[in-house]
């Protein structure tokens, strides 16, 4: 592993060295303008930033890259600052401008200082003392940018590079003034930068103009922020729109814009003293709650106008976070002893205190926002299910089970809404929440049925489709006086139409699946008899094993079969045969004794 990492690092360094050795950006321009030098400043810094850390906001990594590239440039140009024992300062002068890499050397100095300043800005959130170092590095970056602009004023540099150097210097100068809160000087620098880039964008082709237009869009929020601080009150609305379109703020403007919005709402909150909800007016004395309620309408409008799903999700999360903070402040005011004392007012049995009612209102906002967020996520998943591509192993595709989980959370939020203190006697509210519950139950049942269809459980899916129609018909029959409150919910009539078509498809699929299953069962039973092919020539069945090496063609070795044995013969006639007498042929019994023995020896035995 270490060998491969080392090889990759050497390969990257080799590519960077080759980049430093070639004439760098602008070799074509050198041919067109003769001895003129050209340097694509904005293109070089944007490509370097994207490839070396800034895509993920890693300014430290980018600063290291700038240092390494600067060192390689000095080595390639033989423009070293002394040796390891002694430092000898050298400056790039106009006489040295025989190669555009000298301009690139100064540009890397400015970029290194700027990236260090941005790194310190991230760290200054927890260590405020680093802000002084941040300003010092920004001043250093501006100094290097001014040096680059001075070198580009030479007759050896073409007009485009001169304009880009001026715009780059104006951009860094504007950022420095922005940090110093010198709004007038900052807006002048940003406007100069914007004007130059707009002129460059109009002078080149559309492909080349994209980069310049992106930089103009980046600095536009800074210009409007400076204008607001100078005295242009209309700029706050434009900043809100820019923040909405961009999906969030970045860079120097991020924290300042959020603080500005909070400050503006705080000024308006001074005039807000009460809020009305469901026919009851409640005084609002907590500043944080006032600020949240004032921004509620703006946040809801921003969510409606948001173009991308990422922006909507970010706005939902921001709104829920603010609502939780407001609820926490009200909860701290509701001490346990105050709850017991103020929960039921004197002479008004069943009516909660104003502070408790305000807590219920904020909880209602939080739960309603959570329901809208989950409903928006469910719509996104439904679109993904409809547009689902064939099996893709690279990423997990959405499933009906994901939607079921979202609707479970929505139903749980609706149950919590019914339990809010102070609304127990509000029959209209209870009826409205009940109808919303039926709507989301219908959608939940629909996607449960869809999940059963995927596993071919036809009967269960059919029963759930019928349950969906039951819930939807209940909503249609009871929604007469609540149509305005239900108009933001999913369309029940559209769900009914979809369920009816799905039922027809389900019944057809169940019939086809039943016949296929019967055929499969028949063929499999034939194959499972383990009969060899020689015994089932008259019966057709699909047997994939016939084309394998273990094809069952005949019984081998063959089984034993009975055969006739060798006949046995029995002589039954022997029992009936009469043999002739043999007594006459038998010898007479010899006499025993000594006389007989002697006669026998000498042959006198008769």
């Amino acid at each position: 592993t270490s060998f491969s990492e080392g090889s990759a690092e050497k390969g990257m360094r080799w590519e960077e060295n080759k980049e430093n050795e070639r004439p760098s950006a602008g070799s074509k321009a050198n041919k067109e303008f003769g001895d003129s030098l050209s340097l694509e400043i904005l293109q070089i810094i944007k490509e370097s930033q994207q490839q070396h850390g800034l895509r993920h906001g890693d300014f430290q990594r980018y600063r290291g890259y700038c240092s390494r590239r600067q060192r390689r440039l000095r080595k390639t140009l033989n423009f070293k600052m002394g040796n390891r024992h002694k430092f000898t300062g050298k400056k790039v002068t106009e006489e040295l401008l025989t190669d555009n890499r000298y301009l690139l050397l100064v540009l890397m100095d400015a970029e290194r200082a700027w990236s260090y300043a941005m790194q310190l800005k991230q760290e200054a959130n927890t260590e405020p003392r680093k802000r002084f170092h941040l300003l010092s590095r920004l001043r250093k970056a501006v100094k290097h940018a001014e040096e680059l602009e001075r070198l580009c004023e030479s007759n050896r540099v073409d007009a485009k590079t001169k304009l880009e150097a001026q715009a780059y210097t104006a951009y860094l100068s504007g950022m420095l003034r922005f940090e110093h809160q010198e709004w007038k000087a900052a807006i002048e620098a940003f406007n100069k930068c914007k004007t130059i880039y707009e002129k460059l964008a109009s002078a080149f082709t559309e492909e080349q103009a994209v980069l310049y237009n992106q930089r103009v869009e980046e600095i536009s929020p800074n210009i409007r922020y400076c204008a607001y601080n100078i005295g242009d009150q209309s700029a706050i609305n434009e900043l809100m729109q820019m923040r909405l379109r961009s999906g969030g703020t970045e860079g120097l403007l991020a924290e300042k814009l959020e603080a500005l919005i909070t400050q503006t709402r705080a000024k308006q909150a001074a005039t807000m003293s009460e809020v009305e909800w469901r026919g009851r007016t409640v005084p609002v004395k907590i500043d944080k709650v006032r600020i949240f309620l004032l921004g509620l309408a703006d946040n809801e409008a921003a969510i409606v106008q948001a173009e991308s799903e990422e922006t909507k999700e970010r706005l939902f999360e921001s709104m829920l976070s603010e609502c939780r903070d407001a609820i926490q402040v009200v909860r701290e005011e509701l001490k346990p002893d105050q709850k017991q004392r103020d929960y039921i007012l004197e002479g008004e049995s069943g009516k909660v205190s104003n502070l408790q009612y305000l807590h219920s209102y904020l909880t209602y906002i939080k739960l309603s926002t959570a329901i809208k967020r989950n409903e928006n996520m469910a719509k996104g998943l439904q679109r993904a299910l409809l547009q689902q591509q064939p099996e893709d192993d690279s990423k997990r595709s959405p499933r009906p089970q994901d939607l079921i989980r979202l609707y479970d959370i929505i139903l749980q939020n609706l149950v919590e809404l019914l339990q809010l203190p102070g609304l127990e006697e509000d029959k209209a509210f209870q009826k409205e929440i009940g109808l919303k519950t039926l709507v989301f139950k219908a959608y939940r049942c629909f996607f449960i049925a869809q999940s059963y269809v995927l596993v071919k459980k036809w009967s269960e899916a059919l029963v759930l489709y019928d349950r969906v129609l039951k819930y939807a018909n209940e909503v249609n029959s009871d929604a007469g006086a609540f149509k305005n409150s239900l108009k933001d919910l999913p369309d029940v009539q559209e769900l009914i139409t979809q369920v009816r078509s799905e039922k027809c498809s389900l019944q057809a699929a169940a019939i086809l699946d039943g016949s296929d299953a019967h055929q499969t069962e028949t063929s499999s039973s034939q194959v499972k008899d383990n009969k060899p092919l020689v015994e089932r020539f008259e019966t057709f069945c699909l047997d994939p094993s016939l084309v394998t090496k273990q094809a069952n063609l005949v019984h081998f070795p063959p089984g034993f079969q009975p055969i006739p044995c060798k006949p046995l013969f029995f002589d039954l006639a022997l029992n009936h045969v009469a043999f002739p007498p043999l007594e006459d042929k038998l010898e007479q019994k010899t006499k025993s004794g000594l006389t007989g023995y002697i006669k026998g020896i000498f042959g006198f035995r008769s």
Side-chain angles (χ1 to χ4, degrees):
T1 304
S2 60
F3 175 75
S4 61
E5 291 176 355
S7 301
E9 184 178 356
K10 289 179 180 178
M12 184 177 65
R13 289 179 178 175
W14 180 81
E15 289 179 1
E16 291 175 349
N17 286 331
K18 294 294 289 181
E19 181 182 13
N20 294 328
E21 288 173 5
R22 62 175 179 258
S24 111
S27 59
K28 295 181 180 179
N30 291 343
K31 296 178 182 178
E32 295 175 4
F33 294 95
D35 294 335
S36 297
L37 299 177
S38 178
L39 190 69
E40 301 282 351
I41 295 177
L42 186 60
Q43 181 179 352
I44 288 173
I45 62 176
K46 281 295 182 183
E47 289 179 355
S48 300
Q49 289 172 2
Q50 289 298 312
Q51 295 174 6
H52 298 281
L54 261 63
R55 184 176 296 177
H56 311 290
D58 191 349
F59 291 99
Q60 185 176 5
R61 178 184 164 193
Y62 180 59
R63 179 165 68 97
Y65 163 76
C66 292
S67 300
R68 292 192 303 272
R69 187 169 187 183
Q70 190 180 32
R71 184 170 63 249
R72 289 190 298 271
L73 282 169
R74 292 187 184 278
K75 184 177 180 180
T76 304
L77 295 169
N78 198 19
F79 193 71
K80 298 181 180 179
M81 310 285 276
N83 51 39
R84 68 178 62 185
H85 303 293
K86 183 180 179 181
F87 173 78
T88 304
K90 290 183 181 180
K91 289 188 178 181
V92 179
T93 59
E94 186 175 344
E95 290 74 17
L96 291 174
L97 293 182
T98 58
D99 193 332
N100 55 7
R101 286 176 291 181
Y102 285 101
L103 297 176
L104 185 59
L105 190 62
V106 182
L107 178 63
M108 286 296 106
D109 268 327
E111 281 294 289
R112 183 177 63 172
W114 171 81
S115 59
Y116 195 11
M118 294 300 100
Q119 177 189 344
L120 291 168
K121 181 171 180 62
Q122 291 178 338
E123 298 172 358
N125 294 328
T126 54
E127 301 177 58
R129 290 290 302 173
K130 289 193 174 182
R131 178 171 172 77
F132 297 102
H133 196 183
L134 180 158
L135 296 174
S136 173
R137 299 312 300 173
L138 270 181
R139 281 192 292 269
K140 193 74 171 177
V142 172
K143 180 181 176 182
H144 288 302
E146 290 173 347
E147 178 68 16
L148 177 63
E149 182 182 359
R150 184 186 63 78
L151 290 171
C152 289
E153 292 299 326
S154 170
N155 294 330
R156 302 181 183 182
V157 181
D158 65 355
K160 180 184 176 183
T161 306
K162 291 179 181 179
L163 288 174
E164 286 208 38
Q166 292 175 11
Y168 182 67
T169 304
Y171 176 72
L172 291 182
S173 178
M175 295 178 72
L176 177 61
R177 302 302 178 191
F178 194 95
E179 277 298 312
H180 279 294
Q181 297 186 2
E182 298 174 4
W183 309 118
K184 191 171 182 179
I187 197 172
E188 289 176 358
F190 283 134
N191 278 327
K192 179 182 177 181
C193 176
K194 180 181 178 181
T195 303
I196 294 173
Y197 282 130
E198 286 177 345
K199 293 294 183 182
L200 287 170
S202 62
F204 292 93
T205 62
E206 185 175 350
E207 294 180 357
Q208 293 173 316
V210 171
L211 204 59
Y212 299 121
N213 290 328
Q214 287 178 353
R215 178 53 69 98
V216 171
E217 292 177 3
E218 287 178 13
I219 62 178
S220 293
N222 295 22
I223 293 173
R224 299 310 301 160
Y225 187 84
C226 294
Y228 174 79
N229 283 281
I230 291 173
D232 186 359
Q233 297 297 324
S234 64
I236 183 65
N237 294 327
E238 295 185 20
L239 283 170
M240 292 286 289
Q241 292 299 323
M242 290 179 182
R243 170 173 170 257
L244 181 61
R245 287 195 300 269
S246 63
T249 52
E250 298 177 357
L252 290 172
L253 194 62
E255 300 173 2
K256 294 183 180 295
L257 183 54
E258 296 297 332
L260 173 63
I261 294 171
T262 305
Q263 181 182 357
T264 305
R265 289 175 181 171
K267 291 179 181 177
Q268 297 173 353
T271 61
M272 181 182 182
S273 59
E274 57 187 22
V275 64
E276 183 179 355
W277 180 52
R278 303 201 69 82
R280 178 174 174 178
T281 303
V282 180
V284 182
K285 301 178 182 179
I286 305 171
D287 291 337
K288 196 162 189 176
V289 178
R290 288 179 180 177
I291 293 171
F292 168 72
L293 293 176
L294 279 171
L296 182 62
D298 293 337
N299 288 332
E300 290 177 346
I303 291 171
V304 173
Q305 297 173 11
E307 298 177 356
S308 64
E309 294 299 324
E310 293 79 8
T311 304
K312 280 187 179 182
E313 183 64 23
R314 181 186 57 80
L315 292 173
F316 272 124
E317 288 297 332
S318 175
M319 185 173 171
L320 286 172
S321 177
E322 293 177 9
C323 188
R324 292 189 197 99
D325 293 341
I327 291 174
Q328 182 61 32
V329 174
V330 175
R331 189 179 291 120
E332 290 174 359
E333 294 290 329
L334 282 171
K335 300 290 179 66
D337 54 341
Q338 290 177 335
K339 286 184 180 180
Q340 296 297 330
R341 185 173 63 252
D342 298 335
Y343 186 80
I344 299 179
L345 297 179
E346 297 180 0
E348 295 184 1
S349 176
K351 188 175 181 180
V352 300
S353 65
N354 288 333
L355 198 59
Q356 182 65 46
Y357 197 76
L358 179 62
H359 183 272
S360 298
Y361 177 47
L362 293 174
T363 306
Y364 170 81
I365 294 173
K366 184 191 77 170
L367 294 174
S368 299
T369 305
I371 290 172
K372 290 178 182 177
R373 183 192 64 179
N374 290 324
E375 186 183 350
N376 182 68
M377 294 172 63
K379 288 180 180 177
L381 283 174
Q382 289 180 39
R383 288 193 295 269
L385 280 174
L386 293 176
Q387 301 171 358
Q388 190 169 353
Q389 300 295 329
E391 293 298 328
D392 186 5
D393 297 334
S394 60
K395 60 181 180 179
R396 177 181 176 272
S397 57
R399 301 176 301 170
Q401 288 85 340
D402 301 330
L403 285 158
I404 296 170
R405 174 59 181 161
L406 286 175
Y407 285 116
D408 281 336
I409 297 173
I410 291 175
L411 291 172
Q412 180 61 37
N413 290 335
L414 289 171
V415 171
E416 294 179 17
L417 283 175
L418 290 173
Q419 299 172 354
L420 290 177
L423 299 174
E424 297 87 349
E425 304 298 327
D426 193 339
K427 300 300 182 183
F429 179 78
Q430 302 285 332
K431 183 68 174 177
E432 178 183 341
I433 299 300
L435 287 175
K436 290 182 178 180
T437 302
L438 286 176
V439 172
F440 289 114
K441 275 186 175 181
Y443 272 88
R444 178 177 174 273
C445 276
F446 175 76
F447 287 107
I448 293 176
Q450 292 284 80
S451 64
Y452 275 118
V453 169
L454 292 178
V455 295
K456 296 184 178 182
K457 293 187 176 181
W458 313 116
S459 57
E460 291 87 345
L462 189 60
V463 170
L464 286 168
Y465 280 143
D466 291 335
R467 180 66 61 86
V468 173
L469 292 176
K470 175 187 174 184
Y471 287 143
N473 291 328
E474 287 183 16
V475 173
N476 285 334
S477 61
D478 298 340
F482 299 95
K483 287 186 177 180
N484 290 331
S485 60
L486 298 178
K487 64 182 180 180
D488 295 332
L489 296 179
D491 189 5
V492 177
Q493 196 61 41
E494 181 181 348
L495 180 63
I496 292 175
T497 305
Q498 188 175 1
V499 167
R500 287 173 179 169
S501 64
E502 290 289 341
K503 283 182 68 177
C504 296
S505 301
L506 183 146
Q507 290 171 351
I511 293 171
L512 291 174
D513 185 65
S515 60
D516 292 343
H518 178 70
Q519 293 177 1
T520 305
E521 183 179 356
T522 304
S523 61
S524 62
S525 64
Q526 292 172 352
V527 175
K528 287 181 180 178
D529 289 340
N530 292 327
K531 291 183 178 181
L533 182 63
V534 71
E535 295 182 7
R536 50 185 173 89
F537 282 137
E538 296 82 5
T539 305
F540 172 77
C541 64
L542 296 176
D543 189 0
S545 65
L546 292 178
V547 294
T548 63
K549 293 183 178 180
Q550 287 80 27
N552 189 10
L553 304 178
V554 294
H555 286 298
F556 186 84
F560 291 101
Q561 293 183 357
I563 59 173
C565 296
K566 183 179 179 179
L568 299 176
F569 295 97
F570 299 95
D571 192 0
L572 301 179
L574 183 62
N575 297 328
H576 303 280
V577 173
F579 293 98
L582 300 176
E583 288 82 358
D584 56 339
K585 296 187 179 295
L586 294 176
E587 294 182 358
Q588 292 293 327
K589 188 176 179 180
T590 59
K591 296 180 179 179
S592 60
L594 182 61
T595 306
Y597 178 71
I598 295 172
K599 288 181 178 182
I601 292 174
F602 293 104
F604 297 118
R605 181 176 297 178
S606 57

